């Protein structure tokens, strides 16, 4: 979510801007979206460590709304070479195909 002053947060509930990624007026939005901070928070979310991914994540009542499908999470973790996180994710979600991150030919 981009606020009027350019600050970018990951959460629509973050009215106090506690979960700020940066400022879109100073840093391209794509850089913020693909940056190391948001990557760490995504891995924490995949690991179920919501307390490590922002101040609102542990008390969020929207976890089921707009979440990525498990196959997409596995693809993201594989594509970013987060192999340990991918193994942990597959342990929690055994229904995810072993090679779901590979593109069909």
């Amino acid at each position: 979510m981009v606020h009027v002053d350019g600050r970018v947060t990951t959460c629509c509930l973050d009215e106090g801007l506690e979960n700020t990624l940066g400022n879109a007026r100073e840093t391209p939005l794509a850089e913020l979206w693909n940056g190391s901070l948001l990557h760490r928070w995504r891995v924490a979310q995949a690991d179920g460590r919501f307390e490590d991914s922002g101040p609102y994540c542990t008390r969020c009542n929207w976890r089921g709304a707009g979440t990525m499908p498990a196959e997409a999470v596995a693809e993201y973790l594989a594509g970013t070479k987060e192999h340990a996180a991918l193994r942990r994710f597959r342990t929690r979600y055994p229904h995810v195909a072993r090679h779901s991150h590979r593109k069909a030919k």
Side-chain angles (χ1 to χ4, degrees):
M1 174 162 236
V2 181
H3 288 260
V4 175
D5 65 359
R7 288 182 287 177
V8 179
T9 181
T10 59
C11 181
C12 63
L13 300 176
D14 188 9
E15 294 175 1
L17 298 170
E18 297 174 59
N19 220 20
T20 303
L21 297 172
N23 193 305
R25 291 181 178 183
E26 301 164 2
T27 307
L29 189 56
E31 189 175 319
L32 295 172
W33 185 253
N34 296 309
S36 62
L37 177 60
L38 193 51
H39 172 73
R40 285 193 310 272
W41 288 349
R42 286 180 180 126
V43 172
Q45 288 274 324
D47 274 346
R49 295 179 291 110
F50 301 104
E51 67 279 2
D52 293 334
S53 58
Y56 292 96
C57 297
T58 58
R59 52 194 162 159
C60 181
N61 61 351
W62 293 96
R63 280 194 196 142
T67 58
M68 289 178 68
E71 291 78 12
V73 174
E75 184 177 326
Y76 175 80
L77 294 172
T80 56
K81 301 192 183 336
E82 291 286 348
H83 302 297
L86 180 58
R87 283 191 298 277
R88 291 188 300 269
F89 185 77
R90 285 204 172 114
T91 298
R92 289 177 45 229
Y93 298 95
H95 69 280
V96 177
R98 189 87 182 120
H99 301 287
S100 65
H101 64 276
R102 294 188 182 161
K103 301 274 185 210
K105 293 184 178 185

